[in-house]
Amino acid sequence: MTGFLGKVFGIIGVTAVLTVGAQAEEPKWHTTSSLTGQSKYGEDFKRYDYVNPDAPKGGTLNAVAPGTFDSFNPFIVRGTPAAGLNYQGGLLYDTLMAKATDEGSTSHPLIAEAYSYPDDFSSATYRLDPRAMWHDGTPVTVEDVIWSFNFLKETSQQFVRYFANVTEAVKISDREVQFRFDQKGNRELPLIMGDVVVLPKHWWEGTDANGKKRDITQPSLEIPLGSGAYRIDSFKPGSEVVWSRVEDYWGEEVAVNVGRNNFDRRRYIYILDDTAAWEAFKKGGLQDIRPENRSSRWATEYNFPAVAAGDVVKRAFADTSGQPMQAFALNTRRPQFQDRRVRKALTYAFDFETMNRTLFYDAYTRTDSYFEGSELASSGLPAGRELEILEKYRDKLPPELFTEPFTLPAYDTPTAGRDHLRTALKLFAEAGWVNKGGKLVNEKTGEPFKIEFLGDDPTDERVTMPFIQSLRRLGIETSLRIVDPSQYVNRTNDFDYDAVSIVLSQSSSPGNEQREYWGSKAADTPGTRNLMGIKDPVVDALVERVIFATDRDDLLAATHALDRVLLWNYYAVPQWHKAEVWIAYWNKFGIPEPQPSYIGADLDSWWIDPEKEKILIEKYKSVN
């Protein structure tokens, strides 16, 4: 996955295209890698083409974060990590390779300067850059890589399935580590081993200032040792964390860091909720850049004086990477959601068109694929290789999957609402739920049908209540429970909800991460992203089919099949998307143009313009 905080590192070298091809007598070392074809930079990668190589460094980027934090360990389920940390390393830790910011399924070297793999994809060997070092000046070693891999695979809920086919990491030499796989033909594995976050073995096996042995399996507020472009400078438990740029960062001058990581400090202030964060942004000084996800606010509320004066800029950046599946996830671990007809009925009760018109200013499009906006999305009827894949499971799939294109009910006529709710009641009745006295109850036990939606911000009420009202018309006892962000994280990690909003992003080359999204094992493992609790042998088989696709065409067919089966099982009620990123910012930045449309905007390529900032400080005093 790529994002605003992506950190990438490149060295000029041969571009590897992971396709099944001619047998090679000897392993070849590769630098840039891609699962979708050759990188656009070819063999002469010196820097991203959109950055300003002479971008000045300095200043402070002010940001806000929701809720609170109680840990600097992002790799375990317990605790809430501080802003700037995540299970992919965040600002503190470098990975073996880094995902590109301007093209999909492509990685460039970071701690590893090159990698190789055999023609049968049965292993991958990474060669470390001799310059890589920790912030204490200690070199990054093969032992660090092996220790990190073993810890992550054993402990991290994200990595345990991601690396399920990796049997061991072995030291080949002082600079080479080999990852060995239990199956051949997994084209993605050699590349994604570059996603391993490398942690300092010597630090984690040492003792803290009080002489107590550190324990990486527990949350902690001891500032950790890292290797990335930033280190934690100071913090106030639960309320503030300040990062400072590492002046002697080992990777500062390598290709993909050129023109990036330009802020000397990054300060995160914790804010109770989105309303308070919005007021903080308008005031200035607490949040310099605000990604906006509320269409009504974007359309009507950016009219305060700083906007009118041009001191706050409102801008939409194109996003060409495909759109996430944003939806209400139905927790099939709960008995009331285990019947597909019930889940389909709930989908029929969702009126997107009215919400889009009355709440969203027609800014959105209905999402109807788990791989929205890309060639990976299914469409029409299954045909060709996709049909061949699905035929194997015909007797375990809904018959209409083979005869009808998947479509979502549209509330686009005066009678559509009544018609769709009538259809929903019919589906409920087929599943054993009937309306008695205005309440939907189980026809055998009399138990009422109940749904509690879980949210983490008062603004969730705005987008959830129209659906709740529609469900109440069916006689369903429906409510929305808003909890603080920490409780929300804990409850979602423990799958303690009936329904919850999700945003699931996909890469342009899906693979091993699909196990965590949809796999049966993930359904029973706290902290995974299988929030719907899917436990379906057909889905499991299709996930493996995606992972072990033989080439790009085979991957497309397998992904189309997986997408189609997920849709027809109605595990979630799809919401909406837009093919652009909305960002508002105080006008104190230099921005290289054009920004990379693959991620919308690369904030790490921006810099603070001292003259612009000086003007804002003089005008508003609080902006600094």
Side-chain angles (χ1 to χ4, degrees), residues 117-137:
Y117 58 91
D119 290 339
D120 63 0
F121 307 101
S122 60
S123 66
T125 303
Y126 280 75
R127 188 176 69 211
L128 305 191
D129 189 317
R131 297 171 293 179
M133 67 174 61
W134 303 104
H135 295 158
D136 65 0

PDB file of all heavy atoms in Angstrom, residues 117-137:
ATOM      1  N   TYR A 117      15.928 -13.834  -7.434  1.00  0.00           N
ATOM      2  CA  TYR A 117      15.011 -14.944  -7.227  1.00  0.00           C
ATOM      3  C   TYR A 117      15.184 -15.949  -8.362  1.00  0.00           C
ATOM      4  O   TYR A 117      15.556 -15.569  -9.479  1.00  0.00           O
ATOM      5  CB  TYR A 117      13.558 -14.465  -7.168  1.00  0.00           C
ATOM      6  CG  TYR A 117      13.128 -13.728  -8.416  1.00  0.00           C
ATOM      7  CD1 TYR A 117      12.542 -14.398  -9.482  1.00  0.00           C
ATOM      8  CD2 TYR A 117      13.328 -12.358  -8.540  1.00  0.00           C
ATOM      9  CE1 TYR A 117      12.168 -13.729 -10.639  1.00  0.00           C
ATOM     10  CE2 TYR A 117      12.958 -11.678  -9.684  1.00  0.00           C
ATOM     11  CZ  TYR A 117      12.384 -12.363 -10.728  1.00  0.00           C
ATOM     12  OH  TYR A 117      12.033 -11.702 -11.878  1.00  0.00           O
ATOM     13  N   PRO A 118      14.943 -17.229  -8.117  1.00  0.00           N
ATOM     14  CA  PRO A 118      15.048 -18.232  -9.172  1.00  0.00           C
ATOM     15  C   PRO A 118      13.826 -18.208 -10.074  1.00  0.00           C
ATOM     16  O   PRO A 118      12.795 -17.606  -9.736  1.00  0.00           O
ATOM     17  CB  PRO A 118      15.151 -19.543  -8.400  1.00  0.00           C
ATOM     18  CG  PRO A 118      14.429 -19.276  -7.126  1.00  0.00           C
ATOM     19  CD  PRO A 118      14.677 -17.828  -6.798  1.00  0.00           C
ATOM     20  N   ASP A 119      13.919 -18.896 -11.193  1.00  0.00           N
ATOM     21  CA  ASP A 119      12.826 -18.882 -12.163  1.00  0.00           C
ATOM     22  C   ASP A 119      11.539 -19.519 -11.640  1.00  0.00           C
ATOM     23  O   ASP A 119      10.456 -19.229 -12.147  1.00  0.00           O
ATOM     24  CB  ASP A 119      13.258 -19.607 -13.440  1.00  0.00           C
ATOM     25  CG  ASP A 119      14.312 -18.828 -14.214  1.00  0.00           C
ATOM     26  OD1 ASP A 119      14.414 -17.608 -13.993  1.00  0.00           O
ATOM     27  OD2 ASP A 119      15.032 -19.436 -15.032  1.00  0.00           O
ATOM     28  N   ASP A 120      11.645 -20.397 -10.631  1.00  0.00           N
ATOM     29  CA  ASP A 120      10.434 -21.026 -10.103  1.00  0.00           C
ATOM     30  C   ASP A 120       9.862 -20.276  -8.901  1.00  0.00           C
ATOM     31  O   ASP A 120       8.924 -20.737  -8.260  1.00  0.00           O
ATOM     32  CB  ASP A 120      10.705 -22.488  -9.729  1.00  0.00           C
ATOM     33  CG  ASP A 120      11.730 -22.634  -8.605  1.00  0.00           C
ATOM     34  OD1 ASP A 120      12.232 -21.603  -8.109  1.00  0.00           O
ATOM     35  OD2 ASP A 120      12.035 -23.785  -8.235  1.00  0.00           O
ATOM     36  N   PHE A 121      10.431 -19.110  -8.575  1.00  0.00           N
ATOM     37  CA  PHE A 121       9.935 -18.252  -7.485  1.00  0.00           C
ATOM     38  C   PHE A 121       9.903 -18.980  -6.140  1.00  0.00           C
ATOM     39  O   PHE A 121       9.037 -18.728  -5.297  1.00  0.00           O
ATOM     40  CB  PHE A 121       8.533 -17.712  -7.803  1.00  0.00           C
ATOM     41  CG  PHE A 121       8.422 -17.018  -9.128  1.00  0.00           C
ATOM     42  CD1 PHE A 121       7.877 -17.664 -10.229  1.00  0.00           C
ATOM     43  CD2 PHE A 121       8.888 -15.726  -9.290  1.00  0.00           C
ATOM     44  CE1 PHE A 121       7.791 -17.032 -11.457  1.00  0.00           C
ATOM     45  CE2 PHE A 121       8.802 -15.083 -10.516  1.00  0.00           C
ATOM     46  CZ  PHE A 121       8.254 -15.737 -11.613  1.00  0.00           C
ATOM     47  N   SER A 122      10.854 -19.861  -5.905  1.00  0.00           N
ATOM     48  CA  SER A 122      10.865 -20.660  -4.676  1.00  0.00           C
ATOM     49  C   SER A 122      11.620 -19.986  -3.540  1.00  0.00           C
ATOM     50  O   SER A 122      11.619 -20.491  -2.409  1.00  0.00           O
ATOM     51  CB  SER A 122      11.486 -22.037  -4.947  1.00  0.00           C
ATOM     52  OG  SER A 122      12.822 -21.896  -5.409  1.00  0.00           O
ATOM     53  N   SER A 123      12.257 -18.857  -3.796  1.00  0.00           N
ATOM     54  CA  SER A 123      12.981 -18.120  -2.754  1.00  0.00           C
ATOM     55  C   SER A 123      13.251 -16.713  -3.259  1.00  0.00           C
ATOM     56  O   SER A 123      12.999 -16.388  -4.422  1.00  0.00           O
ATOM     57  CB  SER A 123      14.300 -18.817  -2.402  1.00  0.00           C
ATOM     58  OG  SER A 123      15.200 -18.775  -3.504  1.00  0.00           O
ATOM     59  N   ALA A 124      13.763 -15.881  -2.374  1.00  0.00           N
ATOM     60  CA  ALA A 124      14.205 -14.533  -2.752  1.00  0.00           C
ATOM     61  C   ALA A 124      15.388 -14.173  -1.870  1.00  0.00           C
ATOM     62  O   ALA A 124      15.358 -14.401  -0.657  1.00  0.00           O
ATOM     63  CB  ALA A 124      13.085 -13.517  -2.583  1.00  0.00           C
ATOM     64  N   THR A 125      16.422 -13.630  -2.474  1.00  0.00           N
ATOM     65  CA  THR A 125      17.615 -13.224  -1.738  1.00  0.00           C
ATOM     66  C   THR A 125      17.770 -11.716  -1.838  1.00  0.00           C
ATOM     67  O   THR A 125      17.715 -11.151  -2.936  1.00  0.00           O
ATOM     68  CB  THR A 125      18.875 -13.917  -2.291  1.00  0.00           C
ATOM     69  OG1 THR A 125      18.692 -15.341  -2.240  1.00  0.00           O
ATOM     70  CG2 THR A 125      20.103 -13.546  -1.484  1.00  0.00           C
ATOM     71  N   TYR A 126      17.952 -11.079  -0.686  1.00  0.00           N
ATOM     72  CA  TYR A 126      18.114  -9.625  -0.635  1.00  0.00           C
ATOM     73  C   TYR A 126      19.532  -9.284  -0.180  1.00  0.00           C
ATOM     74  O   TYR A 126      20.046  -9.883   0.773  1.00  0.00           O
ATOM     75  CB  TYR A 126      17.082  -9.005   0.310  1.00  0.00           C
ATOM     76  CG  TYR A 126      15.726  -8.845  -0.331  1.00  0.00           C
ATOM     77  CD1 TYR A 126      14.893  -9.949  -0.521  1.00  0.00           C
ATOM     78  CD2 TYR A 126      15.278  -7.603  -0.771  1.00  0.00           C
ATOM     79  CE1 TYR A 126      13.651  -9.817  -1.114  1.00  0.00           C
ATOM     80  CE2 TYR A 126      14.034  -7.461  -1.371  1.00  0.00           C
ATOM     81  CZ  TYR A 126      13.233  -8.567  -1.543  1.00  0.00           C
ATOM     82  OH  TYR A 126      12.004  -8.433  -2.152  1.00  0.00           O
ATOM     83  N   ARG A 127      20.118  -8.319  -0.853  1.00  0.00           N
ATOM     84  CA  ARG A 127      21.477  -7.857  -0.530  1.00  0.00           C
ATOM     85  C   ARG A 127      21.389  -6.469   0.099  1.00  0.00           C
ATOM     86  O   ARG A 127      20.859  -5.534  -0.501  1.00  0.00           O
ATOM     87  CB  ARG A 127      22.338  -7.813  -1.794  1.00  0.00           C
ATOM     88  CG  ARG A 127      23.816  -7.529  -1.525  1.00  0.00           C
ATOM     89  CD  ARG A 127      24.602  -7.605  -2.819  1.00  0.00           C
ATOM     90  NE  ARG A 127      24.271  -6.499  -3.722  1.00  0.00           N
ATOM     91  CZ  ARG A 127      24.304  -6.580  -5.045  1.00  0.00           C
ATOM     92  NH1 ARG A 127      24.620  -7.723  -5.632  1.00  0.00           N
ATOM     93  NH2 ARG A 127      24.011  -5.521  -5.781  1.00  0.00           N
ATOM     94  N   LEU A 128      21.909  -6.346   1.324  1.00  0.00           N
ATOM     95  CA  LEU A 128      21.771  -5.094   2.059  1.00  0.00           C
ATOM     96  C   LEU A 128      22.720  -4.027   1.543  1.00  0.00           C
ATOM     97  O   LEU A 128      23.849  -4.313   1.124  1.00  0.00           O
ATOM     98  CB  LEU A 128      22.043  -5.334   3.553  1.00  0.00           C
ATOM     99  CG  LEU A 128      21.216  -6.407   4.254  1.00  0.00           C
ATOM    100  CD1 LEU A 128      21.413  -6.313   5.770  1.00  0.00           C
ATOM    101  CD2 LEU A 128      19.744  -6.303   3.897  1.00  0.00           C
ATOM    102  N   ASP A 129      22.245  -2.785   1.601  1.00  0.00           N
ATOM    103  CA  ASP A 129      23.073  -1.638   1.274  1.00  0.00           C
ATOM    104  C   ASP A 129      24.068  -1.431   2.419  1.00  0.00           C
ATOM    105  O   ASP A 129      23.648  -1.288   3.579  1.00  0.00           O
ATOM    106  CB  ASP A 129      22.183  -0.404   1.099  1.00  0.00           C
ATOM    107  CG  ASP A 129      22.929   0.795   0.545  1.00  0.00           C
ATOM    108  OD1 ASP A 129      24.072   1.048   0.996  1.00  0.00           O
ATOM    109  OD2 ASP A 129      22.370   1.484  -0.325  1.00  0.00           O
ATOM    110  N   PRO A 130      25.363  -1.400   2.154  1.00  0.00           N
ATOM    111  CA  PRO A 130      26.333  -1.260   3.244  1.00  0.00           C
ATOM    112  C   PRO A 130      26.222   0.064   3.983  1.00  0.00           C
ATOM    113  O   PRO A 130      26.759   0.204   5.086  1.00  0.00           O
ATOM    114  CB  PRO A 130      27.682  -1.407   2.531  1.00  0.00           C
ATOM    115  CG  PRO A 130      27.411  -1.026   1.107  1.00  0.00           C
ATOM    116  CD  PRO A 130      26.009  -1.500   0.830  1.00  0.00           C
ATOM    117  N   ARG A 131      25.532   1.039   3.406  1.00  0.00           N
ATOM    118  CA  ARG A 131      25.392   2.339   4.073  1.00  0.00           C
ATOM    119  C   ARG A 131      24.283   2.348   5.123  1.00  0.00           C
ATOM    120  O   ARG A 131      24.228   3.246   5.967  1.00  0.00           O
ATOM    121  CB  ARG A 131      25.092   3.420   3.040  1.00  0.00           C
ATOM    122  CG  ARG A 131      26.193   3.638   2.023  1.00  0.00           C
ATOM    123  CD  ARG A 131      25.731   4.558   0.902  1.00  0.00           C
ATOM    124  NE  ARG A 131      24.672   3.924   0.090  1.00  0.00           N
ATOM    125  CZ  ARG A 131      24.073   4.500  -0.947  1.00  0.00           C
ATOM    126  NH1 ARG A 131      24.415   5.750  -1.271  1.00  0.00           N
ATOM    127  NH2 ARG A 131      23.153   3.854  -1.628  1.00  0.00           N
ATOM    128  N   ALA A 132      23.371   1.368   5.085  1.00  0.00           N
ATOM    129  CA  ALA A 132      22.209   1.381   5.975  1.00  0.00           C
ATOM    130  C   ALA A 132      22.650   1.282   7.433  1.00  0.00           C
ATOM    131  O   ALA A 132      23.435   0.404   7.796  1.00  0.00           O
ATOM    132  CB  ALA A 132      21.282   0.232   5.623  1.00  0.00           C
ATOM    133  N   MET A 133      22.124   2.173   8.262  1.00  0.00           N
ATOM    134  CA  MET A 133      22.486   2.152   9.676  1.00  0.00           C
ATOM    135  C   MET A 133      21.342   2.667  10.541  1.00  0.00           C
ATOM    136  O   MET A 133      20.429   3.365  10.076  1.00  0.00           O
ATOM    137  CB  MET A 133      23.743   2.982   9.930  1.00  0.00           C
ATOM    138  CG  MET A 133      23.582   4.476   9.723  1.00  0.00           C
ATOM    139  SD  MET A 133      25.063   5.404  10.201  1.00  0.00           S
ATOM    140  CE  MET A 133      26.275   4.714   9.075  1.00  0.00           C
ATOM    141  N   TRP A 134      21.406   2.315  11.816  1.00  0.00           N
ATOM    142  CA  TRP A 134      20.452   2.788  12.806  1.00  0.00           C
ATOM    143  C   TRP A 134      20.836   4.185  13.265  1.00  0.00           C
ATOM    144  O   TRP A 134      21.944   4.659  13.000  1.00  0.00           O
ATOM    145  CB  TRP A 134      20.407   1.825  13.996  1.00  0.00           C
ATOM    146  CG  TRP A 134      20.059   0.420  13.574  1.00  0.00           C
ATOM    147  CD1 TRP A 134      20.903  -0.638  13.460  1.00  0.00           C
ATOM    148  CD2 TRP A 134      18.777  -0.044  13.154  1.00  0.00           C
ATOM    149  NE1 TRP A 134      20.237  -1.744  13.003  1.00  0.00           N
ATOM    150  CE2 TRP A 134      18.917  -1.403  12.810  1.00  0.00           C
ATOM    151  CE3 TRP A 134      17.517   0.552  13.044  1.00  0.00           C
ATOM    152  CZ2 TRP A 134      17.851  -2.174  12.361  1.00  0.00           C
ATOM    153  CZ3 TRP A 134      16.459  -0.217  12.601  1.00  0.00           C
ATOM    154  CH2 TRP A 134      16.624  -1.561  12.265  1.00  0.00           C
ATOM    155  N   HIS A 135      19.917   4.833  13.938  1.00  0.00           N
ATOM    156  CA  HIS A 135      20.169   6.203  14.384  1.00  0.00           C
ATOM    157  C   HIS A 135      21.302   6.305  15.404  1.00  0.00           C
ATOM    158  O   HIS A 135      21.813   7.407  15.639  1.00  0.00           O
ATOM    159  CB  HIS A 135      18.887   6.814  14.967  1.00  0.00           C
ATOM    160  CG  HIS A 135      17.798   6.988  13.953  1.00  0.00           C
ATOM    161  ND1 HIS A 135      16.469   7.090  14.304  1.00  0.00           N
ATOM    162  CD2 HIS A 135      17.833   7.062  12.597  1.00  0.00           C
ATOM    163  CE1 HIS A 135      15.733   7.223  13.214  1.00  0.00           C
ATOM    164  NE2 HIS A 135      16.529   7.206  12.164  1.00  0.00           N
ATOM    165  N   ASP A 136      21.693   5.184  16.009  1.00  0.00           N
ATOM    166  CA  ASP A 136      22.820   5.208  16.939  1.00  0.00           C
ATOM    167  C   ASP A 136      24.154   4.949  16.238  1.00  0.00           C
ATOM    168  O   ASP A 136      25.195   4.835  16.888  1.00  0.00           O
ATOM    169  CB  ASP A 136      22.615   4.203  18.076  1.00  0.00           C
ATOM    170  CG  ASP A 136      22.589   2.746  17.582  1.00  0.00           C
ATOM    171  OD1 ASP A 136      22.723   2.514  16.363  1.00  0.00           O
ATOM    172  OD2 ASP A 136      22.421   1.840  18.433  1.00  0.00           O
ATOM    173  N   GLY A 137      24.140   4.868  14.897  1.00  0.00           N
ATOM    174  CA  GLY A 137      25.366   4.659  14.136  1.00  0.00           C
ATOM    175  C   GLY A 137      25.728   3.210  13.914  1.00  0.00           C
ATOM    176  O   GLY A 137      26.708   2.909  13.221  1.00  0.00           O
TER     177      GLY A 137
END
